[in-house]
Amino acid sequence: MDTTHPQETPVKVKRGLKRKLILSMLLVGTLPLTIGLVMAFLQGTKEIREVSGTSFQALASETARKIDLILSEELAQNSQITTDISIIQALEAHRDQLATYSDEALQTVITQETKNWTAQNPEFVERLTQNDLVTTLRRYYGGSYVDPGHPIPVITRSATRGLFITDVAGRLIATLNTNVAYAHAQELWWKGAFKNGVGQPYIENVAFNDEMEVYTFTLSLPIMDSIRYQVIGILHRIYDAKEFFGASIETIRFGKTGHVMLIDGHGKVLSCPILPTGTSLSDPQIIPLVTPMHKGWTAAPSDGHGGERSSIIGFAPLPSTSDITQASTGIGWHMFVWQSSEELFAPIDHLFTWISVFGLLSVGLLAALGAIAAGRIVTPIRQLQEAAKLIGRGELQEPVNIKTNDELEELADEVNRMNRQLASTFAGLESEVELKAQEVQYLQESTTQILDSVPDPVIMLDQEQQIQYMNRASKEALHLNNNGHVEGEQLFQILKTDPPTTKKLGDEFQSICFVSAEDIAPISPRPQSQHTFRDPLQQQSDWSSTSKGQEFHLYNQTYRYEWFTVKARPGHAPGIGLVFRDMTKESHLQDRLIKEEKLASLGVLSAGIGHELNNPLVGVIGLGEAIEQEDNPDQIKEYAHDIVQHGRRMAAIIRDFTGLATSQLTEQLSEVNINEQLDLALDLVKQTHDTSSLNILTNYHPLPVIKVISQEFSQALAHILANAIQAMEEEGTLTITTGLTENMAHITIEDTGPGIPRTQLSKIFDPFFTTKQQGKGAGLGLTIARRIIQKYGGQIQVKSQEGEGTSCHITFQIQETIQEEAS
């Protein structure tokens, strides 16, 4: 077989199946094995740690008890010295002698004696080292006064570096050695043991003694008077720390590196076979772990001896001794049991090694068994795979022969049965495919004939604006040859409109593509069209209802158009369709209708001008007649001023109706007060209407200013007031109210007239509509008033019920900052 044939590439898949089976078996086998080994290792490690920790704790506790007993015994033996009657009597004599000295005299004596001691004056030194108290100290030191059953250990005598007694002033009065100071009243150990004359045992922590050049610790005991009332002296003993504790601690060893050590609460070594006395533990983090005031063991982050590997440490405090050291220096003494991490965790490392070896052997065995099992499974599967490829090519002649007596053999039988069924099925499939192809061709031809019979041009496009189909009407509209090939051409290479129209159509097309990509239908392009797209074959009775923005001009013709989407095959993008109709004649007819409407509007404009000029003209005529009959020059000037105001009002009306007011809007806008404008409009109405019999009520609230043309705005208010006064026929109540709520200014004008019938209420803003008698109104007042109010962003609403009067409500929206100023 040619291995370069594309169909032979699945060979890698065959090899991958066997590898997957082996990996699966390894995974199934090694996962529980690994979990078991890991759990065994963890459990073994835990047990080793607990056994080691418990053993270390017991050793630390036993050694601490032993050292505590030694120190307690040492304390008891030294206490015998403090109760010796000869020592007490000698110290009481010193006390009585010191009582005769003043403070200055005593200080002078101490200073002089210190100089003598420092200078090693033979006579003075002999007096302190050869007296009766020294003899007594030597006897206790040598063991003469000790119970024969409890002799002083040799180690205690050899570890003693100093033994002396001070009096109540801290002066040295008896000492076995001369390398000590004379005055001790300022020493911490002396103050601690003296304790303001009450006295207490005091054990000083290990420190380096410069005079003796060794690390020492001291024991200080108060000597009480004969009646045990107060302290009369201090017994002070200095010990070599390493020599005192070494015999009891350094001899305790286990393994190669295991040993015990004595430390204080700050981690300073008092005695250790490895670390020098006076040094500190190398890792400060383990100090709080091993110095609690209870026994125990801990897994520390290091061994405290410079090793960085975690370790197991047992610890225990010296109970009795720590009570004294805590009271003396605030620091307890603790026993520390340690073994090097390498030696301590050697059993764990051995356990891990054996578990790893066992695990690797198990994995190897599983891999071998998996390879054998996978080979027995993969071989028949490969035969089935080869048979499937032959079936796919229609070349399987011989049946698949697999004899495994399991599901694979059943699968081979099913493959043979499938091959026979496919062979029989393929026999009649070709004829069915040919029949379906003929049906598809018939549908395509019939669809083409239907679209060619449509009188409106229809163009089908893909997402790239390439033409997929054009019906006969579209080819004729675009002056194309009916037999010309346009499929695949770009739309705007065929539809040659002006650049703005081309850009607009292109934007609409992109908008439709964007929406159709989200499977949304029907679709309306944004923002030109707001209606949904219809079926291009559906009859539309009125194309003129299409938005005028949906049209383009081509070859001196006007077309209205619509976009629509075409459902595509699965996996393909939807198509886009364009249908348009020649609306040239309809457009010409619409232009004529617009001209006629404009002429009709001119008639309305003329009537409006007459209506608006009537009221001020009546005022001008009345004022002119008044001037003819008036002799008072001041009154004549006032009438003339009113005539000028009426004239300006008529000029403003004419400018507004002829469009001149719009061109001067920016210059004439000014900030006006609504309440003042209402008063001005009311004065204008009073000049042309008799209001003497009316009850006029005003309820004004502070309002913000608005920007309007003052004369125009007062004119609108005057129209509304005039309508209300005329409706009441010179009898009734006119109420004018203003207010401010949130960001809205309100004007309410109410009358008590007969009201407006509900059937006529919807017509009150129509031009020339009036409910008054003929000759009393032209029906343009409210029409003009609403136009002016809406011009400045306001709204007007009229409510009325027949027989209950009429209410006119006007609102203006204002800015929030203006509203706050008004408040």
Side-chain angles (χ1 to χ4, degrees), residues 16 138 325 339 367 502 539:
R138 290 186 187 280
T325 59
Q339 190 176 22
T502 301
Q539 182 66 28

Side-chain angles (χ1 to χ4, degrees), residues 321-490:
T321 304
S322 291
D323 290 342
I324 298 176
T325 59
Q326 287 276 9
S328 301
T329 61
I331 303 173
W333 287 7
H334 305 266
M335 195 57 61
F336 181 113
V337 178
W338 172 85
Q339 190 176 22
S340 69
S341 302
E342 290 74 13
E343 183 179 3
L344 177 64
F345 293 113
I348 298 176
D349 295 337
H350 293 161
L351 176 63
F352 178 77
T353 301
W354 281 107
I355 288 177
S356 300
V357 172
F358 178 74
L360 292 175
L361 291 176
S362 301
V363 171
L365 181 61
L366 285 172
L369 294 176
I372 295 172
R376 292 182 177 274
I377 295 173
V378 171
T379 299
I381 291 178
R382 288 178 178 174
Q383 295 179 9
L384 290 172
Q385 187 180 21
E386 292 295 333
K389 290 194 294 183
L390 293 175
I391 292 174
R393 296 196 297 264
E395 299 175 356
L396 183 63
Q397 303 297 331
E398 298 294 332
V400 181
N401 187 15
I402 295 177
K403 300 298 182 181
T404 56
N405 296 322
D406 55 16
E407 288 82 357
L408 291 175
E409 183 176 346
E410 293 181 2
L411 179 60
D413 295 338
E414 293 297 329
V415 169
N416 293 329
R417 187 179 299 109
M418 179 183 66
N419 185 40
R420 293 192 296 270
Q421 292 177 350
L422 288 175
S424 61
T425 302
F426 286 155
L429 185 60
E430 293 182 358
S431 59
E432 293 184 10
V433 171
E434 184 178 357
L435 179 60
K436 293 296 182 182
Q438 291 175 355
E439 292 178 358
V440 171
Q441 184 178 2
Y442 167 74
L443 290 175
Q444 290 178 344
E445 292 176 353
S446 61
T447 301
T448 302
Q449 291 175 0
I450 293 172
L451 290 176
D452 283 341
S453 65
V454 174
D456 295 329
V458 178
I459 302 176
M460 311 296 293
L461 307 167
D462 62 11
Q463 297 280 334
E464 303 299 328
Q465 295 186 1
Q466 292 183 348
I467 297 175
Q468 301 297 311
Y469 170 78
M470 293 180 65
N471 68 345
R472 183 181 295 108
S474 63
K475 291 180 180 180
E476 292 174 355
L478 299 178
H479 299 170
L480 299 176
N481 187 350
N482 243 352
N483 298 324
H485 180 75
V486 295
E487 286 74 9
E489 297 288 339
Q490 290 291 322

Side-chain angles (χ1 to χ4, degrees), residues 459-470 486-495 501-513 563 574-578:
I459 302 176
M460 311 296 293
L461 307 167
D462 62 11
Q463 297 280 334
E464 303 299 328
Q465 295 186 1
Q466 292 183 348
I467 297 175
Q468 301 297 311
Y469 170 78
M470 293 180 65
V486 295
E487 286 74 9
E489 297 288 339
Q490 290 291 322
L491 171 64
F492 296 112
Q493 291 179 355
I494 304 300
L495 185 63
T501 303
T502 301
K503 184 179 184 304
K504 181 168 74 74
L505 291 173
D507 293 342
E508 291 179 356
F509 181 86
Q510 294 299 329
S511 176
I512 294 171
C513 290
W563 297 95
I576 309 298
L578 175 65

Side-chain angles (χ1 to χ4, degrees), residues 615-629 639 643 646 687:
N615 289 337
L617 280 175
V618 171
V620 169
I621 293 171
L623 292 170
E625 292 174 351
I627 289 174
E628 290 178 350
Q629 300 174 4
Y639 290 156
I643 291 173
H646 283 298
Q687 294 178 9

Side-chain angles (χ1 to χ4, degrees), residues 217-230:
F217 76 95
T218 64
L219 172 62
S220 303
L221 296 176
I223 302 173
M224 307 300 292
D225 59 11
S226 55
I227 61 174
R228 310 295 295 175
Y229 177 71
Q230 66 179 359

